[in-house]
Amino acid sequence: MRKVLAIVLLIFIVTTGCNSDAKSTKNSDKDKTQNCFNLYNRFLSGEISVSSKSDKSNKIDINQLFQQDENYNKFTVFDCNHNGIPELHLSSMREYMIIECVNKKLSIIYSGSGYEKLLNNGALLYSQTGGAPEHISYMFTELDTYNNIVQITFEKYNTLNDNSDDDLYLFEDDEVTKSEFDAKTNKYLSAESDLIIWSDYLTFLLKNN
């Protein structure tokens, strides 16, 4: 596990870059990041639990999020709130959770659905197909540096439930035309996730037992 996190840490440092004229700041940031990676490792190993900032009395450990008999549990580190320190992202069939490290302490800053996907720009995209009538629901989520959550929702429906094209489009609960829908949602739906490096949690367990 430490090897996995070390590789991801190296990629993070290289891709984010550092100011060559601020060596002390660079070393300080690197130390902070490494300390956070050590805490993430302890959480993934089941050594420590974590709580949300809004409810510190409710502690959650890794076994409450990841059922060990499932094959969909994965984790990664990524700076989605752009504060310079990568967060720990946990994805299961049921939940998507983001854990932040501040002042050598971990806290949950976001808890969502297992249908959410982490994008290269640090945002999350929820996508789920449903029926009655046939439709696809989307939610685009971003966190700012203060962990304020900004979400955009949009849906498209096939109200006839047949093989015809979708005929109802909603953006932020307002009905729009297809062309308006495409224009408004293109920047959200075109965002890619190919740069995200995920690690399988079951593999991590097998390597560390």
Side-chain angles (χ1 to χ4, degrees):
M1 175 56 201
R2 294 184 186 278
K3 182 178 180 181
V4 172
L5 286 180
I7 293 173
V8 179
L9 173 60
L10 178 60
I11 294 173
F12 175 80
I13 292 174
V14 171
T15 55
T16 53
C18 296
N19 189 330
S20 60
D21 295 327
K23 184 175 181 180
S24 60
T25 300
K26 173 183 174 180
N27 291 335
S28 176
D29 290 344
K30 183 177 180 180
D31 289 342
K32 288 180 181 178
T33 302
Q34 185 59 60
N35 288 335
C36 289
F37 272 63
N38 292 339
L39 287 175
Y40 295 156
N41 181 78
R42 293 184 62 195
F43 175 77
L44 291 167
S45 301
E47 297 177 18
I48 59 176
S49 57
V50 64
S51 62
S52 67
K53 289 185 176 180
S54 60
D55 185 6
K56 297 185 181 300
S57 63
N58 183 23
K59 297 286 187 178
I60 297 175
D61 62 38
I62 191 65
N63 294 318
Q64 292 173 272
L65 178 64
F66 285 167
Q67 302 296 319
Q68 295 185 16
D69 59 345
E70 293 179 352
N71 296 320
Y72 300 94
N73 301 324
K74 57 185 180 179
F75 63 92
T76 190
V77 288
F78 198 89
D79 183 15
C80 68
N81 61 8
H82 309 293
N83 67 353
I85 301 295
E87 297 83 39
L88 176 64
H89 294 247
L90 306 163
S91 178
S92 72
M93 291 182 64
R94 295 167 303 280
E95 289 188 73
Y96 192 104
M97 185 174 292
I98 303 177
I99 296 176
E100 182 183 50
C101 173
V102 176
N103 297 325
K104 299 182 180 180
K105 293 182 180 180
L106 302 183
S107 62
I108 301 168
I109 59 174
Y110 181 78
S111 181
S113 166
Y115 291 103
E116 293 183 77
K117 176 174 66 174
L118 177 61
L119 305 175
N120 293 342
N121 59 11
L124 299 172
L125 180 65
Y126 167 96
S127 175
Q128 173 66 355
T129 301
E134 293 180 2
H135 66 279
I136 304 177
S137 296
Y138 301 96
M139 181 169 65
F140 185 85
T141 301
E142 289 183 298
L143 278 71
D144 64 18
T145 54
Y146 300 102
N147 297 326
N148 296 311
I149 298 172
V150 178
Q151 295 179 320
I152 303 293
T153 60
F154 43 99
E155 301 85 32
K156 56 183 180 179
Y157 291 81
N158 180 341
T159 60
L160 300 177
N161 287 319
D162 58 15
N163 293 325
S164 61
D165 293 335
D166 298 316
D167 56 4
L168 175 62
Y169 301 87
L170 299 177
F171 186 85
E172 289 286 83
D173 295 326
D174 292 329
E175 185 172 351
V176 296
T177 65
K178 182 181 186 305
S179 59
E180 289 173 330
F181 181 88
D182 292 341
K184 289 176 178 292
T185 63
N186 178 65
K187 67 178 180 179
Y188 306 121
L189 297 180
S190 63
E192 298 182 349
S193 60
D194 58 306
L195 300 181
I196 308 301
I197 302 173
W198 289 97
S199 297
D200 177 68
Y201 186 65
L202 180 59
T203 301
F204 158 70
L205 289 178
L206 294 175
K207 288 183 177 180
N208 287 273
N209 287 336

